[in-house]
Every structure is written in structure tokens, then in C-alpha cells.
Amino acid sequence: MTGFRITDGIDRGTAFQFTCDGESVTAYPGESIAAALMAAGKRQTRVTARRQMPRGLYCGMGVCWECIMIVNGKPAVRACMTPAEPGMKVETQHGVGDPA
Amino acid sequence: MRETDLLVVGAGAAGLSAASEAAKHGLAVTVLDDNLLPGGQYFRRLPTGYHHTHETVFDKERQRANALYATTGQKGITYLNDAVVWESPENGVLAFARGADSGRIRAKLTIIASGAHDRPAPFPGWTLPGVVTAGGLQNLLKGQRVIPGRRAIVAGNGPLVLLVGATLARAGAELREVVEAAPILKRLAGSIADLIAMPKIVRQAVDYRLAIMKSGARLRTGWTVIEARGADELEEVVLAPIDATGKVDRSRARAVKADLLVVGFGLMPSIELVRLLDCKLEWKPLRGGWVPVRGADFETSRPGVLAVGDGAGIGGVEMALREGKLAGVIAAERLGKLSRDQAANLKAPIQAEIAKVETFRRGLERLYAMPPAFLDLLTPETIVCRCEDVTAGELRARQDAGFGSTAALKGTTRTTMGRCQGRNCLRTLSALIAQASGQPIEQVTMPRPRLPARLVTIGDLLQEELPPIEMPKDPHLPRGERVS
Ligand SMILES: Cc1cc2nc3c(=O)[nH]c(=O)nc-3n(C[C@H](O)[C@H](O)[C@H](O)COP(=O)(O)OP(=O)(O)OC[C@H]3O[C@@H](n4cnc5c(N)ncnc54)[C@H](O)[C@@H]3O)c2cc1C
Ligand code: FES
């Protein structure tokens, strides 16, 4: 496991689950998709269109668009700017995110 | 169309300070910001459902932060979150995308407080998951209390390097190395007289250094990252010494295992809005590059448009807070809520504080100034444009084939045309052109500003209620020539 949550001093409320590429991921109310995934050790969010390179969170502030994923079927959603929700279906985005 | 006395773009330190001060003096203020929560970058807020159980080392700014967040509910202030300002359809009017609430707003006066983003510093492997910016790391800490890796290295140039090193050490990451490119220890004696204008920040920096040392990590100055390696994620980072002209000594390079590399080579002002508004720019490398030209009272070359905070030139949070407050007084005076004397009395103490921050900044700039040396690190395979996957080799080949200008390289490779709108590649592209042509970088033509200033969805824009477009009767006639 690589990433982690700092727990000292913070009560995050009640955890819930969403899925990423079919696997269950834990998140807390208001937590961004990217933060929840990184706390679960998953850092690759997309694979680029032209060279099939892996990418992940880079700017962390919504301006680089490297963290885009397919969320509930909608492509190009920024994982760093979007709160996770219970039952959400998140997928790694390949290229522009056309359905496979 | 909505109307307001004062429109503030950006709910960060600068924007909220401006709004609060202006509203205090009786102006109707509207604040637009593209984040869900107020605070901007420095005062990034935890999800509202998270509760503090006790103070930790990460809560030192809570008082100032809470005061700033509270201004969004202050009398006279309308705060619209999740609102992306993307266009200025006419003088004094800005258009914003906000789902079903998208629209336009007309203001008597506008303050742009758009903040900054990390400067791209490409090197082989910088696109690997696990390589994040210094700003991004701080945002994850402040906004999420999440650290995106465990075995960590920090590399870069500027005050955020020590800060991020301390963050990781205090968060309990296995911090390995903190490397600062500038020889700051050697330069300290020459800067300290200016730096102590802000004694609190100097004390903080000492604490950061202690936290890094205590963690057992190595702090090297005059070193830089030259490569990140890994298959699908970061596995190893290569570091090497660098001299004051930016030359890397590869013979002394060291590879260190790591799963997190934080890079911070300084910040760049977010100038897309001032460019869209056709404000004149000037090149100030020590303030992050292109910044809007500002006259007395923060006015840009476009009358009625003021620019403050990091978006007007990197000055850090203490500068942003004070410039914002001063801009609030200026706005109240200009719109008749304060007499000249009243305004002058309010301005004087803020200006005195700004002068102190300026002195501090001069010291900081002398301490950290480095020529940008990343071009030597680029291999033919190094990605320059992350969105469109364009490599340095591809760009150099086009340059050799005679495509020398920004427009030509853009047109033939799509560099700067992806989702990040050039934020991660334009500076590198300009540097490559400058290198090939021998021009200084500031003489390299910038691409024309394009809509939208920040990405918005067509879906949002369709929500906007606009008067029907007046079409020419004969669709073949050019627009504007109407037959009656
Ligand atoms: C990611 C990041 C993290 C940082 N973390 C630290 C830190 O931990 N410590 C430190 O000392 N310094 C930090 N800095 C430096 C920081 O920029 C300043 O200290 C401070 O935040 C500047 O305040 P500001 O109000 O000028 O800008 P900001 O705080 O950046 O606020 C600007 C706001 O304007 C919004 N905005 C911009 N354009 C538009 C638009 N078109 N439409 C709508 N909204 C828009 C932005 O999203 C942002 O919310 C960080 C910088 C960055 C980029
Ligand atoms: S990490 Fe840059 S947009 Fe999400």
C-alpha cells in the first residue's frame, strides 16, 4: 500500500464504498475520488490516447486534467475535484474514454 | 443579466480579503470561484463533514482560515462556488459556467484574484503516477489529509520545497531526500537582512528544516531531480548535483528508491483571464513569468479591472491577503463609499505591511534565483505536452524541419491544444523555441488567448438563458450585414 490517510486530529464521519474498475474502495463523505483511490494505493487514473502511457494525479487543483476518469459512465471527470459518493462506479479512462 | 458593484474572481486569500473589505464599506460584492469550497489554494478546506478532534501541527492556520471562509456569508457578499469564469462577452461583463445557474454578470469594477499553479518542469519520467506537484501535495494534505505515497522524495526550487519536506516528515511518510536546486545555505548570509522583515516566516522555515532533519531524511542544496523511473508507477528517482548556472553533474548522479516524488519548481500566475480581457502583460521571471502590468491601485491596462494576489505575480499568501484587503479599500473608494481621506487612512497601514512583504520577497528571490535548466534534462522521449503526448524529440524534429514558431509547432503537433490549455507545456515550448532561435524567452510569441479561459462543458453553457441571436436574413451574408 502506498498512499495513506492522516488520521490524527480528524474525525471523517462514516465510511462508505464505491467501486473502481470493479473493486470496492472505501471513502468518506466529501472525500475526493482521487484521495480515496490514493489512500487505497491506486494512483493510475488514466491511460493516454496516443502513447498508452499511465497517468495519475499531478496538479491536485483541477488544471492539468491528468486525473480524469470515467465516473458513472461519464468520461473526463477530474478525480481530484470530484467527491466520491456511495455506490459510485469509477473506471480507469483509456484514451478519450469511449466505451470499450 | 445579474448586476453587482464589485465582481471578484477567485475565493482565495486575495479574493476573499478584497470582497470582505469592500463589503464592509457597503459595496454589493459577488465572488465567483471554480472550487466547491472557498479558500483557494493556501486555505484549501477539508470536506465540511470532517471534524477536528484536536489541534495538530497541520492546524496552525485554522483561525485565519475560518475567518476567511466566514466572509462568504458576510452581509453584502454573494458567493458562487463551482462557477468557472470562461469569457468576457462585453466590457464589464463576465460569463460563468455553473450548471443550471450558468450566466453573465455585469460589474462596475472587477478584481481578478485568480492565483497560480505549479510551473511545469519536464524531465524523463515526470508523467509517471506517483510524481506530483508541490502545490498538489499541499492541497491533498489540506483538503483531504491524504498523502499519495510512502517512500518520498521532494525536489525543486523555491520555498515550497522545504514546506513540502516538512509536511511529509510530519505526516509520517518515509521521507528519503529533500533536494533544493539553489545553493540556499551558501546564499543565506546575503539574504537574511531582507528575510527578517517577516520574522514569523523565517522561524517557520527553521522549523521545517528541523522537521526534515529529525525525520532522518537528507537535505541537499545544489541538487536536482534528473529522472523518474518506473513501469506503471514511480519506482526510482535519479538525483544529481547542479551548479549555479544550472549545469548538472551526471557523474555524481544517485538513484534512490521511492514511490512518491514531489516536484516544485516555483509557481506561475494564472493569467488566462487577464489575457482574455486583453490586459497588457510584462515578463517578471522572479514573480513567475508573465504578469499583468498594474498601475497605481492595482489597475490593469484595462480600466475597471484590477488584479491582485498570486495571479498578478507570485507573492505568496501574506502578499495575497494584504493586496486583497487594499484592493477592497480601493474599490470602495472608487465606487464612492469612502472619501479620499478615509481611504488614505485605511490604505496607509496596509501599504506599510506590503512594503515589508516586498522586502522579504526580495530576500527570498535572491536566495532561490536559478536559471531554468530543465532543457538539458530533456531526452527525445521526454513528454513535453502531457495532454497530447508530444515528446521533446518530436518538437525538435519539427523545429529542425523549419517549423520554428509557436503557431507552427502548435499546428503541427497539437502542443498546448489539449485539456490543460497549455498550462503544462507552453513554458517548455517557448523555452525550446527560444533555445533554437537564440531569442530571450519573453520575445517568443504566445498563442492567442482562446475561449474558454478554463474548460467548461457545452451542457453548462446551454443552460444559460440568452436573448435570441439576431441572424442575418440571408444566411450567406457575412455576420453583421443585415438586410432589413
Ligand atoms: C496548488 C497550490 C498549493 C499551494 N499551497 C501552498 C501552501 O501550502 N503554502 C504556501 O505558503 N503557499 C502555497 N501555495 C501558494 C499560494 O498560491 C498562495 O500562497 C495563495 O494561495 C495565493 O492566494 P491567491 O488568493 O492569490 O490565490 P489562490 O489561493 O490560488 O486563489 C485563486 C482562486 O481563484 C480561482 N480561479 C482562478 N481562475 C478562475 C476562473 N477562471 N474561474 C473561477 N475561479 C477561478 C482558483 O480556482 C482559486 O480558488 C500554493 C499554490 C498552489 C498553486
Ligand atoms: S490532478 Fe490536475 S486536474 Fe486533477
Side-chain angles (χ1 to χ4, degrees), chain A residues 69-77 89-91 97-99:
Chain A
M69 303 187 82
I70 304 175
V71 176
N72 292 335
K74 188 175 160 199
V77 174
K89 188 176 166 220
V90 176
E91 296 161 86
D98 286 335

Side-chain angles (χ1 to χ4, degrees), chain A residues 56-67 78-81:
Chain A
L57 177 136
Y58 176 64
C59 76
M61 60 176 285
V63 296
C64 78
W65 296 77
E66 286 285 44
C67 67
R78 288 169 296 175
C80 75
M81 297 287 279

Side-chain angles (χ1 to χ4, degrees), chain B residues 10 13-14 33-35 41-42 83 85 113-116 138 142 310 317 454:
Chain B
D33 186 277
D34 56 357
N35 288 281
Q41 308 308 346
Y42 184 92
V85 178
S114 55
Q138 284 300 115
K142 290 177 178 173
D310 272 6
V317 67
R454 289 195 168 189

Side-chain angles (χ1 to χ4, degrees), chain A residues 8 43 48 50-51 66, chain B residues 51 54 259 386 389 394:
Chain A
D8 185 32
R43 297 191 299 186
T48 61
R50 197 168 158 229
R51 295 177 186 273
E66 286 285 44
Chain B
H51 297 290
H54 55 268
D259 59 32
R386 299 174 74 114
D389 270 357
E394 283 176 293

Side-chain angles (χ1 to χ4, degrees), chain B residues 110-396:
Chain B
T110 302
I111 295 179
I112 308 284
S114 55
H117 57 88
D118 275 87
R119 175 200 308 217
F123 51 86
W126 72 306
T127 57
L128 280 171
V131 180
V132 308
T133 63
L137 189 283
Q138 284 300 115
N139 277 6
L140 276 171
L141 170 84
K142 290 177 178 173
Q144 305 286 333
R145 286 287 199 282
V146 164
I147 300 295
R150 203 167 279 276
R151 263 173 300 144
I153 292 177
V154 186
N157 173 222
L160 289 190
V161 171
L162 281 182
L163 166 66
V164 169
T167 295
L168 291 169
R170 290 165 171 171
E174 295 165 34
L175 184 63
R176 296 289 161 93
E177 304 259 357
V178 177
V179 304
E180 162 58 52
I184 52 172
L185 296 180
K186 282 189 210 147
R187 290 180 183 170
L188 197 55
S191 289
I192 195 71
D194 285 340
L195 290 173
I196 52 172
M198 302 291 284
K200 226 178 89 191
I201 303 186
V202 175
R203 265 201 305 280
Q204 267 170 11
V206 172
D207 285 348
Y208 295 158
R209 185 155 179 233
L210 287 176
I212 293 167
M213 304 313 259
K214 225 171 81 189
S215 76
R218 261 197 88 160
L219 175 61
R220 301 171 196 262
T221 59
W223 278 64
T224 193
V225 53
I226 62 168
E227 189 181 348
R229 296 176 180 155
D232 292 331
E233 289 204 3
L234 178 71
E235 292 161 22
E236 190 171 75
V237 176
V238 186
L239 306 169
I242 184 174
D243 70 22
T245 68
K247 262 216 119 26
V248 171
D249 180 358
R250 289 176 186 271
S251 69
R252 289 168 60 205
R254 293 193 62 233
V256 186
K257 293 264 175 255
D259 59 32
L260 173 63
L261 170 63
V262 186
V263 279
F265 284 88
L267 302 172
M268 289 166 63
S270 299
I271 53 168
E272 57 271 9
L273 284 177
V274 288
R275 286 199 77 205
L276 190 72
L277 291 164
D278 214 12
C279 300
K280 246 196 229 118
L281 302 180
E282 60 184 319
W283 178 255
K284 283 195 180 170
L286 295 176
R287 290 290 156 98
W290 290 111
V291 302
V293 174
R294 297 190 296 176
D297 291 357
F298 299 141
E299 196 159 28
T300 64
S301 65
R302 167 158 301 217
V305 177
L306 281 57
V308 290
D310 272 6
I314 306 304
V317 67
E318 302 303 332
M319 188 78 95
L321 286 164
R322 290 165 178 85
E323 283 197 357
K325 190 169 177 195
L326 186 54
V329 175
I330 291 165
E333 181 189 7
R334 285 186 57 165
L335 297 179
K337 299 288 183 189
L338 291 171
S339 73
R340 224 175 132 165
D341 286 350
Q342 283 172 321
N345 284 335
L346 290 168
K347 283 180 196 170
I350 314 173
Q351 281 160 336
E353 285 184 38
I354 288 179
K356 268 195 212 161
V357 188
E358 290 276 5
T359 305
F360 170 80
R361 290 296 310 179
R362 272 200 301 278
L364 204 64
E365 285 159 8
R366 255 204 317 284
L367 194 60
Y368 281 106
M370 280 292 284
F374 57 86
L375 286 184
D376 291 344
L377 301 180
L378 301 181
T379 62
E381 297 77 32
T382 309
I383 294 286
V384 169
C385 168
R386 299 174 74 114
C387 298
E388 303 291 326
D389 270 357
V390 185
T391 62
E394 283 176 293
L395 285 165
R396 282 181 166 146

